[in-house]
């Protein structure tokens, strides 16, 4: 919902600031907010703004921020030259320069596909441990948040030198490189990283139906990578602690993505996370490969914290081990 709010400060480099909500069920509350300079001029201290507080009012898992509506004035719009459009035919459409420098294909390029944004931190830590100096490029797909500026994980990884480039695909925006689709995004990432990770932004679309969720972005990435000559690895979404039956063990999101992934690909199975019965009914065209390497000890080594849905590594190790296992398999460091 759009609510009037008062800017209590000016946004920092990450676009974050504090506002006071002036109307609606959150009236009188001070909340964190985010604005995106690329979409319009940032507010000044004391300026009245419009804030979309829908996530906060609904209590969404990633809804802890209000999102400011641009109030007018030019933002940090890239030069209007040889561009395509992000968010086309909406009031927030803006030009994006096409990626310069693309690989011809993905042959020989390690590619790991991640089901959730919370897999990105353990994946990058695993890459740094297994292959010191490894350049990591992340393809940010649709299926969760569209603006790259929203990700605290990306900021932390950059601060540790563990993530080299973000390529925002489709209508996602704000990365180092903008790409119109996942195919060109993967090819752009391949020349900017020794390892390509693909996944969605924070939050995930969900409707309760078999295919109506952001997890289907994994199938799109797997199909695209295979068609470009790659041999991608999927990190399955697994959990031993999620209270929802559909996500306990092997998530239905992963099952649906594997059904929609038409070309054979590899699936990294973290050791001890799944029993044989949980693999029954999965498409036989894929290769399900046990991997002993996991995420244990990576937090302490790199000074980062793993978290998803309020759960850390100790509460749900299999969830994070899957990301580390996929990176190990993609890099050929799984001991096989």
């Amino acid at each position: 919902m759009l609510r009037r709010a008062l800017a209590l400060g000016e946004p920092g480099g990450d676009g974050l600031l504090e506002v006071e909500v002036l109307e609606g069920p959150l009236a009188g509350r001070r909340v964190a907010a985010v604005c995106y300079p690329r979409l319009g001029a940032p507010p000044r201290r004391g300026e009245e703004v419009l804030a979309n507080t829908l996530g906060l009012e609904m209590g969404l898992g990633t809804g802890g921020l209000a999102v400011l509506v641009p109030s007018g004035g030019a933002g940090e719009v890239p030069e209007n030259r040889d561009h395509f459009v992000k968010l086309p035919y909406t009031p927030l459409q803006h030009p994006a320069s096409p990626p310069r420098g693309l690989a011809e294909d993905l042959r020989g390029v390690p590619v790991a596909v991640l089901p959730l944004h919370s897999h990105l931190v353990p994946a990058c830590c695993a890459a740094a441990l297994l292959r010191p100096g490894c350049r990591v490029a992340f393809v940010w797909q649709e299926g969760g948040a569209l603006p790259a500026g929203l990700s605290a994980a990306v900021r932390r990884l950059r601060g540790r030198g563990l993530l080299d480039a973000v390529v925002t695909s489709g209508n996602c925006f704000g990365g180092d490189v903008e790409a119109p689709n996942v195919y060109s995004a993967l090819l752009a990432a391949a020349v900017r990283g020794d390892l390509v990770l693909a996944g969605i932004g924070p939050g995930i679309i969900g409707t309760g139906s078999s295919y109506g969720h952001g997890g289907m972005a994994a199938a799109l990435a797997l199909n695209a990578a295979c068609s470009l000559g790659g041999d991608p690895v999927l990190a399955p979404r697994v959990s031993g602690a999620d209270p929802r039956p559909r996500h306990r063990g092997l998530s239905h999101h992963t099952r649906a993505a594997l059904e929609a992934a038409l070309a054979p690909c590899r699936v990294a199975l973290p050791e001890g996370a799944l029993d044989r019965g949980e693999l029954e009914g999965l498409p036989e065209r894929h290769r399900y490969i046990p991997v002993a390497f996991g995420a244990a000890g990576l937090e302490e080594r790199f000074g980062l914290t793993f978290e998803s849905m309020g759960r850390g590594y100790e509460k749900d190790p299999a969830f994070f081990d899957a990301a580390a296992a996929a990176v190990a398999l993609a890099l050929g460091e799984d001991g096989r």
Side-chain angles (χ1 to χ4, degrees):
M1 300 295 292
L2 297 182
R3 309 292 189 187
R4 292 186 306 116
L6 186 69
L8 300 178
E10 296 184 359
D14 53 9
L16 296 176
L17 71 158
E18 187 180 30
V19 301
E20 181 181 347
V21 183
L22 300 178
E23 59 185 8
L26 303 178
R29 279 185 54 182
R30 294 186 173 198
V31 300
V34 64
C35 68
Y36 303 108
R38 187 165 296 190
L39 303 182
R44 298 181 298 273
R45 182 188 300 271
E47 181 180 346
E48 188 172 297
V49 295
L50 278 179
N52 189 318
T53 59
L54 182 62
L56 284 167
E57 292 177 27
M58 291 179 64
L60 298 180
T62 53
L65 290 172
V67 182
L68 299 194
V69 177
S71 58
E76 299 173 2
V77 179
E79 185 177 355
N80 189 357
R81 183 184 64 194
D82 296 331
H83 68 272
F84 60 100
V85 175
K86 296 270 182 167
L87 306 175
Y89 298 99
T90 74
L92 300 179
Q93 66 180 355
H94 59 280
S97 297
R100 307 297 183 186
L102 298 175
E104 293 185 0
D105 54 47
L106 294 180
R107 289 179 174 84
V109 178
V111 178
V113 177
L114 309 176
L116 289 176
H117 198 67
S118 44
H119 288 107
L120 181 60
V121 174
C124 289
C125 290
L129 177 66
L130 293 169
R131 192 168 294 181
C134 179
R135 297 178 305 140
V136 179
F138 178 55
V139 172
W140 184 305
Q141 297 176 263
E142 297 171 351
L146 299 180
L150 186 65
S151 175
V154 165
R155 290 192 292 274
R156 291 196 299 268
L157 289 166
R158 287 190 185 279
R160 296 289 196 279
L162 301 177
L163 180 61
D164 293 84
V166 174
V167 182
T168 34
S169 169
N171 284 309
C172 304
F173 63 92
D176 304 294
V177 181
E178 305 283 6
N181 55 55
V182 68
Y183 292 84
S184 61
L186 287 167
L187 294 175
V191 298
R192 292 165 174 83
D194 305 310
L195 168 69
V196 173
L197 303 176
I200 63 175
I204 184 169
I205 297 168
T207 64
S209 62
S210 297
Y211 298 102
H213 51 79
M216 295 307 294
L220 299 177
L222 291 170
N223 284 331
C226 289
S227 72
L228 294 170
D231 185 16
V233 176
L234 175 66
R237 180 175 177 177
V238 297
S239 175
D242 199 307
R244 298 165 294 181
R246 65 186 183 277
H247 293 308
R248 181 69 69 93
L250 184 67
S251 169
H252 80 102
H253 283 189
T254 293
R255 291 184 178 275
L258 288 171
E259 290 170 3
L262 301 179
C265 63
R266 294 175 290 167
V267 183
L269 302 178
E271 195 170 62
L274 297 168
D275 59 41
R276 185 178 297 274
E278 291 178 282
L279 302 180
E280 292 181 358
L282 294 177
E284 294 181 0
R285 60 184 172 273
H286 305 305
R287 290 169 287 163
Y288 303 93
I289 304 173
V291 179
F293 182 80
L298 293 178
E299 291 175 293
E300 296 79 6
R301 186 179 184 92
F302 293 101
L304 293 166
T305 300
F306 304 159
E307 184 177 351
S308 182
M309 301 293 290
R311 296 185 294 273
Y313 184 79
E314 290 186 358
K315 290 185 178 180
D316 202 2
F319 179 90
F320 304 100
D321 286 342
V327 167
L329 187 57
L331 292 176
E333 300 288 351
D334 58 318
R336 297 179 67 84

